[in-house]
């Protein structure tokens, strides 16, 4: 169980995504946006060149997840939201 509320997580998660993760992805023409945080699960969407890229799963795990877990909490769960699923997070 997370020691933080979803509200508590929003600022640190968005700061890390904007300042650390997004610039790394941008080098390869990719982008990322934070969709929501629910029950300690961070819902992000890989965009730009990341969409349809075979390495996007690894990027999510080894870049996004690693940065967030190291900086905030090791049990954070990061979930990529496919295009068009933004309003159906409970199904992911």
């Amino acid at each position: 169980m997370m020691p933080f509320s979803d509200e508590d997580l929003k600022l640190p998660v968005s700061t890390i995504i904007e300042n650390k993760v997004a610039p790394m992805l941008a080098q390869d023409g990719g982008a990322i946006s934070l969709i929501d945080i629910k029950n300690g699960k961070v819902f992000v969407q890989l965009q730009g060149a990341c969409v349809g890229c075979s390495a996007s799963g690894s990027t999510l795990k080894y870049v996004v997840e690693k940065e967030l877990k190291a900086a905030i909490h090791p049990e954070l769960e990061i979930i990529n939201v496919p295009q068009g699923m933004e309003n159906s997070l409970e199904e992911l």
Side-chain angles (χ1 to χ4, degrees):
M1 173 111 178
M2 278 287 151
F4 314 104
S5 73
D6 294 343
E7 217 31 62
D8 291 340
L9 288 168
K10 282 204 167 107
L11 183 63
V13 167
S14 60
T15 302
I16 290 166
I17 286 175
E18 286 168 30
N19 298 336
K20 281 193 156 176
V21 177
M24 281 193 273
L25 298 183
Q27 292 172 358
D28 295 319
I32 186 171
S33 65
L34 175 62
I35 306 285
D36 202 358
I37 299 174
K38 289 186 178 182
N39 305 320
K41 293 180 181 177
V42 178
F43 291 91
V44 297
Q45 189 171 68
L46 294 174
Q47 299 165 328
C50 293
V51 177
C53 171
S54 60
S56 62
S58 299
T59 298
L60 194 67
K61 188 143 195 65
Y62 298 111
V63 177
V64 184
E65 200 170 88
K66 188 174 167 213
E67 288 289 338
L68 292 174
K69 285 182 172 190
I72 300 169
H73 195 275
E75 289 177 31
L76 271 186
E77 192 176 341
I78 304 7
I79 296 168
N80 184 38
V81 179
Q83 303 284 336
M85 292 288 289
E86 297 84 358
N87 298 320
S88 310
L89 300 181
E90 63 284 344
E91 294 173 28
L92 298 172

